[in-house]
Structure formats: structure tokens, C-alpha cells
Amino acid sequence: QVQLVESGGGLVQPGGSLRLSCAASGSIWIINRMGWYRQAPEKERELVATITVGGSTNYADSVKGRFTISRDNAKNTVSLQMNSLRPEDTAVYYCNAGLRSSQYTPEYNYWGQGTQVTVSS
């Protein structure tokens, strides 16, 4: 079994910063990609940022220049530094990982339980 546990959400004023973290645990051989998605009320879940095991990153246009994704392959963790937050960044943020539990198993997609980020004055 694999678990993704997020932390770091909360309430912040516009222009402020938050840092989200996610730790993967369990039966893990390699995590090919890790990332963050978000879902605002009455909207579909959308990609925020992803990072591969080699360090290649991809960002949604709406967060480029404000958010930075990073990972620690040795600790199986991924973080999202969010700066210059805006009210439209308010959403539940989900950690995501595409990983293999062994060299004999295919890649599966896993999700964390989500953490609320609210940007409001």
C-alpha cells in the first residue's frame, strides 16, 4: 500500500505565501513523477505543477512565476512554495504521484487526501 500525506494548507491574505508538503510512504520502488493539483468549488480538478524524478518541471500558466515545485527523491517528498497568492488560488490542493512499487509492477497513480488553501483578506 502507498500513502500520500499532505500538510501546510491554511488561510492567508492576498499577496502572502504558503508552502505545501507531501510525503509518500509504503511500498515504493520509484516515483516517476510527483505533482500538485487543485480543485475549487464547482470547478474541475486542474494541474498546478508537476516534477519528474529527473527534476523536469511543468506549471499551469496561472501559477508560473509565483509557485515553485521541488522534490527530495531520497525522502519521497514533494513541496510547493506558493508566493504572491491570489483569491483565485483558493482551492483544495491534492498531492499526486505516479509510482511503481517494484520493478515487476506497472506505474499506478496515487492521490493524497487534499489540503485546503484559502486566500482571503
Side-chain angles (χ1 to χ4, degrees):
Q1 295 294 331
V2 173
Q3 270 194 318
L4 301 181
V5 178
E6 300 119 333
S7 61
L11 172 65
V12 64
Q13 292 187 343
S17 298
L18 278 177
R19 185 176 181 86
L20 304 182
S21 296
C22 172
S25 63
S27 182
I28 299 170
W29 180 57
I30 185 170
I31 305 179
N32 291 319
R33 53 181 171 72
M34 302 187 83
W36 292 92
Y37 290 71
R38 66 187 181 187
Q39 187 166 17
E42 301 183 358
K43 291 189 176 181
E44 293 188 354
R45 190 173 297 188
E46 64 176 5
L47 178 147
V48 176
T50 61
I51 184 167
T52 67
V53 66
S56 296
T57 58
N58 181 46
Y59 294 92
D61 288 343
S62 59
V63 307
K64 283 181 181 177
R66 301 188 298 123
F67 291 10
T68 302
I69 190 170
S70 60
R71 65 184 283 178
D72 185 327
N73 292 332
K75 296 181 179 179
N76 292 331
T77 59
V78 62
S79 297
L80 184 70
Q81 178 65 42
M82 305 185 293
N83 299 327
S84 302
L85 282 161
R86 305 167 180 168
E88 53 264 39
D89 294 318
T90 295
V92 177
Y93 284 69
Y94 295 92
C95 177
N96 173 266
L99 65 89
R100 297 172 66 183
S101 294
S102 79
Q103 59 183 316
Y104 306 108
T105 56
E107 178 178 307
Y108 290 101
N109 205 31
Y110 293 89
W111 294 92
Q113 79 285 358
T115 185
Q116 177 71 45
V117 172
T118 302
V119 185
S120 175
S121 55

